[in-house]
Each structure stands twice: as structure tokens, then as C-alpha cells.
Amino acid sequence: MGHARAAGGVPRMMEWLSDNGLLLGLAVLDGLASAAAIFMVAVGLNLVFGVLRILNVAHGSLYAIGAYTAASLTAAMVAAGLPAGSPTRCWSSPRRWWASSSAR
């Protein structure tokens, strides 16, 4: 029919998914988090323009301030020896982060 199916196409895909499924899931969650942040900025612009009929472009600077604050807090957490990653990674690890940090 024009499209030749590769031998073992579905098993190869399932093998790739079993190897990289966590990475794919994290990429999807990262994309959703970025989209949610951009959505919040867009909704703020839309509400201000819809109510006041004035285009207020201060949302971009507030978004940047929030990003710099989050980056600074993450750097401070890392400097203090606290985990800066996902909380679920800390909770689900066999050795709790507070047990490993107190042994230093």
C-alpha cells in the first residue's frame, strides 16, 4: 500500500517507552508547567484589558521578577543543603534526604 511496516515496530516502540517513559513523562510535566505559567500571564493581560480597556504590559516584568525569585530561592536551598528538585523525588527515595544530610 505504499507504507511498509517495519518488522517489530510495536515491540520496539514499547521497548523504547519502557526505557524512556519516565523521561517522556517529565518532559510532558515540564511542558505543562511552562504552559500554565504563560497561560497565567495571558489571562492577566486579558482580564486587565477586558475590564479597563487599557493594555497594561507590566505583567512581563512581574513574570521576570517571579522567575528570578524562584531561581534565587532554589540557589539558596542548594547552598543550605536542601533538595531543590521535585518533592516526590525526596519522599520516594529509599534514603530520606534529611537522613543523608545529617550524616555529613
Side-chain angles (χ1 to χ4, degrees):
M1 293 278 243
H3 294 291
R5 184 172 172 176
V10 173
R12 288 184 63 203
M13 182 190 307
M14 294 306 290
E15 179 183 347
W16 183 89
L17 209 62
S18 69
D19 291 341
N20 300 314
L22 180 64
L23 183 63
L24 182 64
L26 289 174
V28 167
L29 286 177
D30 186 40
L32 286 174
S34 297
I38 293 170
F39 174 76
M40 293 301 288
V41 172
V43 166
L45 284 169
N46 191 14
L47 285 174
V48 169
F49 183 72
V51 172
L52 299 176
R53 298 287 184 207
I54 296 171
L55 184 60
N56 183 8
V57 292
H59 287 83
S61 61
L62 292 175
Y63 184 73
I65 289 170
Y68 283 126
T69 302
S72 298
L73 287 175
T74 301
M77 286 177 64
V78 169
L82 295 172
S86 169
T88 56
R89 182 181 66 192
C90 302
W91 296 332
S92 64
S93 65
R95 289 185 58 201
R96 304 289 184 193
W97 63 269
W98 57 83
S100 62
S101 63
S102 65
R104 291 181 200 168

